[in-house]
Amino acid sequence: MSEDQKQPFDFMGLRKIASVISISLIVLSIALLATRGLNLGMDFTGGTSVEFEYAEAPQLDEIRTRLDAAGYEQFSVQNFGADTTVLVRMAEADNDQLAPEVTRTLKEGGAELELVSSEFVGSQVGEELKEDSGLGLLIALAVVLIYVGMRFQFKFGIASVVPLAHDVIIVLGVFALFQWTFDLTVLAALLAVIGYSLNDTIVVADRIRENFRKMRVGESWDIINESIHQTIARTINTSGTTLVVLFALYFLGGEAINNFALALIIGVIVGTYSSIYVSANLLMVMGVSRDDLIVPPKEGAEDAEEQEEPPEWLNRM
């Protein structure tokens, strides 16, 4: 590669440092999940959800203080759709009188409110949701592996699925570290992270494949570096605009979607990093080369070329 073709930044030159960072984060995340575990929300553990409609928009902190003073534990209070609608989630699931009791407690302060609905999720349903969600994540990763393996090449399939697992494990590790509530909205965010990270990884993988076939000079190191350099602007622009929206959701969307936005913010940042370093790094480790990407000639290609001449009757038209 000539001097004027050299990259302004050697991405693959940092691949060993990136490997240490990724392995350390994975090990730390698994350790946190094993020791601290996830703070599962009531979607998974079971609980009661009570919805109230206030005459005037209440202060959520005052509601929390009143419930805490009444002796309730493991509850969450958030607006639901409107400032005057409040959703209270309680860990208790087998108390038929819970909704009336909470209503009386909140009315003691003189607030005008009406009980709209009360629903509960049993622990058995929560356990089934937990198992199904884990199975759903595994199926998503398996389908990605099969698709990318067929669309590109098996090494590219591995280099696409491992970064997705890398991203999901790190997001789960962060939630385990800070004990943020893990509920169905966060699970939905994880599935969105898989889709987002896959899109980024596919863009880089497609350019790597294209350059392996187009660039006749250069080692795998140089070709992968060039491919990342060609796609880095698109990757940063996409991630940047996505993060702007996610931060807006986090700060302005209300407590109901805070954890959803938070999981996506972490996932987009980690996914951007993994699409550059984890995926490309794995391709280097597996020794991807031009031989892996050469399209084999079809049988009878020479005969097909001979038949490309137009028939005699067409020439006379």
Side-chain angles (χ1 to χ4, degrees):
M1 189 172 288
S2 63
E3 289 294 326
D4 55 346
Q5 289 179 314
K6 287 185 178 179
Q7 322 313 332
F9 186 81
D10 184 11
F11 292 98
M12 288 292 95
L14 297 176
R15 68 188 188 91
K16 291 183 179 179
I17 297 176
S19 298
V20 172
I21 293 174
S22 293
I23 293 173
S24 300
L25 289 175
I26 290 294
V27 171
L28 179 60
S29 296
I30 293 175
L32 287 169
L33 290 170
T35 55
R36 292 173 64 87
L38 291 171
N39 179 20
L40 296 176
M42 284 172 283
D43 294 329
F44 297 106
T45 61
T48 301
S49 175
V50 188
E51 182 180 346
F52 297 100
E53 183 67 34
Y54 279 74
E56 297 181 359
Q59 294 294 323
L60 299 184
D61 288 338
E62 292 182 4
I63 297 176
R64 296 187 185 101
T65 301
R66 188 165 296 280
L67 291 174
D68 188 61
Y72 292 106
E73 299 178 355
Q74 296 182 340
F75 62 84
S76 66
V77 180
Q78 62 193 48
N79 288 117
F80 188 68
D83 292 340
T84 56
T85 305
V86 174
L87 184 66
V88 179
R89 293 185 173 184
M90 319 285 291
E92 298 179 49
D94 55 354
N95 185 357
D96 295 337
Q97 299 302 314
L98 182 61
E101 290 174 0
V102 173
T103 303
R104 285 194 296 271
T105 299
L106 297 180
K107 283 184 175 181
E108 287 175 359
E112 296 183 17
L113 60 95
E114 179 184 350
L115 175 63
V116 177
S117 65
S118 175
E119 300 176 349
F120 70 91
V121 177
S123 58
Q124 182 177 356
V125 176
E127 189 67 27
E128 291 177 358
L129 283 173
K130 184 164 59 175
E131 294 175 358
D132 291 344
S133 62
L135 181 60
L137 287 174
L138 292 177
I139 291 175
L141 294 177
V143 170
V144 169
L145 174 61
I146 294 171
Y147 166 73
V148 179
M150 295 174 61
R151 178 69 176 81
F152 291 89
Q153 198 262 353
F154 184 71
K155 290 180 181 178
F156 281 85
I158 297 295
S160 297
V161 169
V162 172
L164 302 185
H166 165 278
D167 301 343
V168 169
I169 291 173
I170 290 178
V171 173
L172 291 175
V174 174
F175 269 74
L177 174 63
F178 294 104
Q179 288 295 289
W180 293 327
T181 303
F182 185 90
D183 53 22
L184 287 178
T185 62
V186 179
L187 174 63
L190 286 180
L191 293 173
V193 166
I194 290 177
Y196 180 90
S197 182
L198 176 63
N199 178 66
D200 247 7
T201 303
I202 289 296
V203 169
V204 178
D206 191 54
R207 186 56 59 91
I208 291 174
R209 181 183 63 169
E210 178 183 335
N211 284 337
F212 262 113
R213 293 175 176 175
K214 183 172 64 175
M215 298 171 63
R216 301 299 180 183
V217 179
E219 300 296 326
S220 298
W221 178 295
D222 302 314
I223 294 173
I224 292 177
N225 241 347
E226 175 67 16
S227 302
I228 296 175
H229 176 62
Q230 292 173 357
T231 57
I232 189 66
R234 178 261 177 205
T235 298
I236 292 176
N237 289 337
T238 303
S239 300
T241 53
T242 304
L243 286 173
V244 169
V245 175
L246 292 176
F247 276 113
L249 283 176
Y250 179 76
F251 289 110
L252 304 175
E255 187 179 351
I257 61 172
N258 272 6
N259 286 347
F260 171 80
L262 198 56
L264 278 175
I265 289 171
I266 299 169
V268 168
I269 294 173
V270 177
T272 301
Y273 157 81
S274 68
S275 66
I276 297 173
Y277 276 108
V278 179
S279 179
N281 213 346
L282 284 171
L283 289 175
M284 289 290 298
V285 170
M286 291 185 290
V288 67
S289 63
R290 288 186 179 85
D291 295 337
D292 296 319
L293 300 170
I294 291 176
V295 180
K298 297 181 179 179
E299 295 183 4
E302 296 181 359
D303 297 338
E305 290 178 1
E306 293 175 359
Q307 295 175 3
E308 286 180 359
E309 293 295 329
E312 186 65 25
W313 63 269
L314 186 59
N315 291 330
R316 292 196 296 265
M317 293 182 62

